[in-house]
């Protein structure tokens, strides 16, 4: 498995990725760029953003490890010599790390099949460690792709225990991201805080329109001319998490609730996959209720 | 002015347009189609829709007057012989009627300039009878296009009188549609009920998201990745009227409130103009909180 | 299998669908509508279009079989009494017919996985009879979904024989549609004429831009800011067949050929599935180089 | 006029903008960032791109002049000390420079009215110095906005002289950009090379589809389901210039050539205005046949 080529490794050799946030001040760019130049690191991609209202600086830098005169072991410590004095918070990841994710689903399988197919094709920059569900319906899909399936039913009385089981599953498998592929259970505050910015949900409406249940029916009742879906990090406030990606499609008076559900299906699969990919290629920074997404 | 060719008169000669709604039952299509065939009328465009939940039938038929053996005077009565027994509600309009509209604006001029320009080019299928505003800012725009401008300031104390002045203006000018081109005043229930389905507003958000004031700022605060605008008929419930048209644009973390306002500007002009055109070409049927739009 | 509920059967009971084309003349709508009313058939959906340049009339009518006083056997003959004298060409299909399709693929599996997943979910209004390919790469995907796979390699020398094998496969299986799910072989004129309007291809560009090989690379070289894909019926003129559906996505200077390929992947799966669905729900009429698509 | 606040001046005080291109090599980012940090310049926006195929580095940096310890006079020379040794090509502009543009049009006025309206509202980050046309039709539009209009008719025999007149007009007025607002004349190679990357055209098709004349009619004949428009720099090869911006809209079989023209109108105005704005805010770098657009 370790020799698998993910579609995202497009550069000549492995890269390191820095995700930086810091109180804004002059010299931040120069400090990191100077450090990398000094150590012979070639930047292959860089992007930055300043939130001028809150005076916060964000940056993503990806550079080739080949040519850099620091080892993977030495790199973090050396970098901190530069970034700590400037109050910079830095996350460093390597493009050749094997990432592992877990998928939670309920009865519907379209997002699940999409993720399984992408994984089978090497399109998903991660291994799927397991599929878990509160219903047995998704077992067949997981089996078709030889991914372990766990049936973890839930009732109001067993919610705590079920979430504990999911947590154990995720931690045993060493996953760094849980993907809610139309998982129709409300997660407890404890759970989402335990996995802060590590749970991506697909909500089947263009948030903040139509929060809550049956959003396609709500959209039909309101007579909107555009429907949408939203991928976001799960937070304690339902449907309020930082939005990673949204997409929309035009609809007309001809489209009944079933049509909206069917059309939404294609939006959901694409938007969820896109959000998962953005997360796994280290392109998303959470900033309060919002995200900075370096595409 | 009467010989002006509007861009919408694309058929050989003037047409009549029927906008029909009726309780659904077999034979509705046959009845009207049979009547038109019998009188030699060539259908140039037809569309229909059945709301199966509420069992209501909607239809728009456009047919050439040339070839039809009934005069404009005789047509409505003859048609009613067929449609009344079937419980059909029918509105008939002619494509060569001169339509007149009034525009209400406040300080911003982009929607106003857009409508004035389209009118000057013969693109708007109506004459603009007047521009009225609670501020003097739009006077220059109206003057540039030689359209009468009325400054009708409003305070909480004078709201009734000001709306009465608008009503008088509209009725004296014989307008059949009032276009709120970023008119930032809340209309009274009496006013919108007096002009039911005759007032089109452009709301600068993707309704039902971000109702109320400063929607672009709300969108920025929420961190959405798509913004939108909504053209709808004004009703007593603010921002709740039947939606005619919506459009959206992608945004990113880079876009501050000013950027959203600027990007929204282009959505607003296009969507408002489209809704006005749909209304003036008799393509919109209001059905409760929703519209049927035959494009 | 016969009791499977397809997602498209949304009406109360099975329906018949008429796809009509005819030289335009007054009375066409009345004739068919009158016939249906006379026999107690409730129209649940109807749409029509007149090509005024060529004076051709098109119509799609869907009506409930329950309530209609004619049997399925008697219906076609009775209808022809009305439509033949008016020069109407009519195709009649039933919503509860089991449709069968065959899929041709090459090395890439994303469109194939998408169709297989939709089929497994009951989202595809047809059964997939087989997957055939000139390469063995797709065998695993087909096996995962228990669909027969046929490896039919092809060389310039064996092209005729291979196409004969595909034809035999299609006819033995009784499929009515061949779906080219990124099948990278040029079909012979004989083949596409044999299966006229029965072969749907997904071309990975926004036709007519970038015909021919490696369109994403062409798009990259040209520096376009939008990419697209096209689902069309295969014809003897390569990339010139009647277009059923197209979709596009914005790109930037950051997107290299690999990015365009990856982004195009999602467009291809969605647009191909949409075109297949439109065809299988009897919504597409071919009209010379163009299509009329009643959505 | 000099105190006019353009909508684009969103930062606290005037800024300088650097548009950099250079052969790629380590240390480029560090060099410029180090220089700016050393002189106390606060970066308010920065973006960069590396074309890995051709090993070319591009960057746009915008920084506050307030706080920078170099005067506007001293800045360029000091910066060159850093950038010349690294082979960097740098364009520096100031956000408070008054820009001037000229507009060329023919008979149609929609793009012209749009630019005039934006200018009147302070939305266009430039002054319109003149409108010139080979037809008199646009005179009224220019007059309404009190912009000088020049009627410069052209025949094959007078083409050289007419272009000389346009050139003189542009140079006398000190414009830095010529906007072809549906100017239906083919410009000579001499002319476009004289104004290289200084002439923006709006082509009414989704290039490279439908080059040449009457693209909407071509699109109609081909039966496409999406139409588009393209803003690009004019080059000697007609319709082949570097693309700045494109946009598209879905169409159906119902839309005849007149409908496509009408729908395209809205795309043209928005896309041309967007391209002009991108150019005038120093966000576009031309790179061979392509552009790098830092949005």
């Amino acid at each position: 498995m370790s020799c698998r080529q993910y579609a995202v490794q497009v550069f000549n050799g492995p890269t390191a990725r820095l995700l930086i946030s810091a109180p804004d001040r002059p010299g931040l760019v120069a400090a990191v760029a100077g450090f990398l130049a000094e150590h012979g690191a070639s930047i292959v991609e860089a992007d930055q953003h300043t939130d001028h209202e809150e005076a916060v600086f964000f940056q993503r830098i990806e550079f080739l490890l080949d040519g850099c005169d620091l080892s993977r072991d030495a790199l973090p410590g050396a970098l901190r010599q530069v970034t700590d004095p400037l109050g910079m918070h830095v996350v460093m990841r390597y493009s050749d790390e094997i990432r592992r994710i877990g998928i939670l689903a309920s009865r519907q399988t379209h997002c699940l099949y999409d993720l399984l197919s992408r994984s089978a094709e090497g399109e998903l920059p991660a291994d799927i460690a397991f599929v878990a569900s509160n219903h047995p319906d998704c077992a067949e899909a997981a089996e078709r792709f030889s991914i372990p399936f766990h049936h973890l039913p839930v009732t109001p009385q067993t919610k705590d225990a079920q979430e504990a089981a999911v947590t154990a599953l995720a931690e045993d498998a060493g996953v760094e991201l849980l993907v809610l592929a139309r998982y129709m259970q409300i997660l407890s505050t404890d759970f989402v805080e335990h996995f802060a910015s590590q749970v991506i949900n697909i909500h089947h409406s263009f948030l903040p329109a139509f929060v809550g249940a049956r959003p396609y029916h709500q959209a039909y009742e309101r007579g909107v001319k555009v429907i949408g879906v939203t991928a976001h990090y799960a937070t304690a406030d339902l449907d309020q998490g930082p939005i990673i990606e949204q997409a929309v499609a035009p609809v007309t008076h001809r489209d009944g609730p079933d049509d909206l559900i069917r059309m939404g299906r294609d939006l959901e699969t694409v938007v969820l996959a896109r959000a998962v990919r953005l997360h796994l290629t280290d392109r998303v920074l959470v900033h309060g209720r919002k995200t900075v997404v370096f595409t």
Side-chain angles (χ1 to χ4, degrees), chain A residues 11 13-17 44 62-65 72 93-96:
Chain A
F11 302 115
T15 57
R17 298 164 185 160
V44 290
E62 184 159 5
F63 60 92
L64 288 171
L65 288 166
R72 292 192 189 204
R93 302 297 301 260
Y94 299 106
S95 66
D96 56 3

Side-chain angles (χ1 to χ4, degrees), chain A residues 128-204:
Chain A
I128 299 174
F130 65 83
V131 175
S133 177
N134 54 325
H135 292 287
D137 310 52
C138 293
E140 187 179 31
E143 281 156 20
R144 281 181 164 148
F145 288 83
S146 309
I147 303 292
F149 176 81
H150 302 270
H151 182 205
L152 301 174
V154 62
T155 64
Q157 287 70 38
T158 64
K159 188 172 185 66
D160 287 358
Q162 195 252 16
E163 287 195 347
V166 173
T167 302
L169 202 53
E171 296 187 340
D172 290 353
V175 307
E176 63 178 81
L177 179 70
L178 286 171
V179 180
L180 309 186
R182 300 299 312 275
Y183 184 61
M184 306 305 277
Q185 286 292 313
I186 295 172
L187 300 170
S188 71
T189 298
D190 282 354
F191 187 90
V192 296
E193 288 181 352
H194 182 76
F195 291 107
S197 300
Q198 293 180 284
V199 180
I200 294 179
N201 183 45
I202 182 75
H203 185 79
H204 43 316

